[in-house]
Amino acid sequence: MSQIYPEKYRGKINAEARVYQQLKDLRSSHWRFFHSVDIARHSVKKSGEIDFVAISRSALFTLEVKGGKLTRQNGTWLAYGDEMDESPITQATDNYNALRRYLKKAKLPML
């Protein structure tokens, strides 16, 4: 089984709960997963939250989980037909870059 923190899901979003369980059930000791990671010093906005961070000895991923009906029309992302505040891709990329900068400042060997 993989390791995921916190050890019990504490969120309220069904899509994230499903991803949390899938990550927890992975049969890999090479990965560590972290759910709902706050970013206090975000470079693009006041703060941010990463749904999941996946870390191994050689890789770092951020996962942005969206549930429900998402579409993209003429470059605009919609959730249930309503325009989203931000593209999920932009959100995930900005959060990844903010986390990477933070970890790089901490001078971790993998980065």
Side-chain angles (χ1 to χ4, degrees):
M1 296 291 217
S2 64
Q3 291 183 350
I4 190 164
Y5 306 95
E7 292 179 356
K8 288 188 176 184
Y9 180 74
R10 296 184 183 130
K12 297 178 181 173
I13 300 170
N14 288 338
E16 286 184 25
R18 289 191 303 272
V19 171
Y20 180 96
Q21 193 59 52
Q22 291 291 320
L23 294 174
K24 187 175 185 177
D25 291 344
L26 284 177
R27 296 186 183 274
S28 172
S29 61
H30 301 289
W31 290 94
R32 302 293 179 269
F33 301 100
F34 300 86
H35 175 250
S36 192
V37 176
D38 288 326
I39 304 171
R41 295 181 184 198
H42 202 287
S43 57
V44 179
K45 47 191 169 186
K46 275 189 166 183
S47 64
E49 186 255 348
I50 301 171
D51 293 338
F52 292 93
V53 174
I55 299 175
S56 74
R57 289 187 182 271
S58 60
L60 171 70
F61 293 97
T62 59
L63 306 174
E64 180 59 37
V65 177
K66 299 293 184 200
K69 185 178 179 183
L70 295 180
T71 57
R72 187 170 177 224
Q73 295 177 357
N74 301 320
T76 300
W77 284 89
L78 307 170
Y80 298 100
D82 295 325
E83 186 173 338
M84 297 175 69
D85 292 336
E86 147 181 69
S87 152
I89 295 168
T90 300
Q91 183 181 6
T93 301
D94 290 347
N95 286 343
Y96 170 83
N97 289 331
L99 178 62
R100 186 166 166 82
R101 273 190 298 281
Y102 173 81
L103 294 174
K104 213 170 196 177
K105 276 187 177 180
K107 299 184 181 188
L108 295 176
M110 69 179 270
L111 303 173

